[in-house]
Amino acid sequence: MKNILVIIVLFVSVFGFGQEKDKVSVFGRKHEIKIGAIHLLVAPILEGTYEHIYSKDLTYGASLLINLNNKDYYDEEFSVTPFVRFYFQETKEYGAQGFFVEGFAKYLSGKYSPSIFNNTQIKPYSAGALGLGLGKKWFNSSGFVFETLVGIGRTIGGGDRPDVIFRGDIGLGYRF
């Protein structure tokens, strides 16, 4: 009888006082991870992005791009891109959603040929770049994120490297 009473007391104390953890609304979540869908589908290029939501109108983060196939015609083999985004939406109750303008810096490396008709002069390069981008982001109540991004930048420094770089993709991810 004593053992049954101890088991009942333990059972009631464990399940009776257990509290469900309050779930944070999707609007209160501050972190996003995304993967570049077009890069991954068209070529084996993996681009992952982390974005931190600082306020309703400002976010910052970084993207990492790794080209998994060195034989394709995409110049970049590796790049790191820190960015900051400013959001412009008419309703302020939704944070980090809608139309945005992005400023980014980029370190990239790969192989480059100054002439598209002569591939025998392919040389490795590494360069830095600064640029601007435009995009739009949507998310739903479960945290799924869909974003479009198009940007252009200019490389800094001399040598054989692309003068203009492109940044763009369709991002699929999750806000947590």
Side-chain angles (χ1 to χ4, degrees):
M1 180 72 179
K2 206 176 198 183
N3 290 337
I4 294 174
L5 185 61
V6 170
I7 291 172
I8 291 173
V9 168
L10 285 174
F11 183 77
V12 169
S13 67
V14 168
F15 292 105
F17 297 109
Q19 297 176 354
E20 185 177 327
K21 185 179 176 183
D22 293 334
K23 290 190 174 186
V24 177
S25 164
V26 71
F27 304 112
R29 299 176 187 174
K30 300 289 184 189
H31 309 280
E32 288 181 4
I33 54 171
K34 296 179 283 284
I35 191 161
I38 292 179
H39 279 124
L40 197 57
L41 290 175
V42 172
I45 298 172
L46 181 63
E47 183 175 20
T49 302
Y50 168 78
E51 186 174 354
H52 177 74
I53 300 164
Y54 182 74
S55 70
K56 293 179 183 180
D57 299 326
L58 176 70
T59 65
Y60 58 88
S63 294
L64 176 70
L65 182 139
I66 300 171
N67 189 345
L68 302 173
N69 183 8
N70 294 339
K71 296 178 184 176
D72 65 5
Y73 297 103
Y74 195 70
D75 289 340
E76 291 180 40
E77 292 180 353
F78 173 81
S79 70
V80 176
T81 311
F83 60 84
V84 63
R85 291 180 177 171
F86 300 96
Y87 287 85
F88 300 93
Q89 63 266 4
E90 294 183 21
T91 57
K92 295 294 182 183
E93 63 267 10
Y94 302 115
Q97 170 176 291
F99 175 73
F100 64 84
V101 175
E102 172 185 277
F104 65 88
K106 188 173 201 174
Y107 169 77
L108 61 155
S109 65
K111 293 180 181 164
Y112 175 69
S113 175
S115 171
I116 59 172
F117 301 111
N118 188 359
N119 287 338
T120 60
Q121 298 177 356
I122 295 176
K123 298 178 183 177
Y125 76 94
S126 63
L130 295 173
L132 292 172
L134 300 172
K136 190 156 185 179
K137 182 192 296 184
W138 300 267
F139 66 90
N140 66 9
S141 61
S142 66
F144 178 76
V145 177
F146 177 80
E147 117 181 342
T148 59
L149 170 68
V150 175
I152 192 165
R154 181 106 177 147
T155 55
I156 302 168
D160 288 333
R161 62 183 173 35
D163 292 329
V164 176
I165 55 118
F166 173 74
R167 174 168 162 75
D169 210 337
I170 292 177
L172 303 174
Y174 184 72
R175 182 177 282 192
F176 59 96

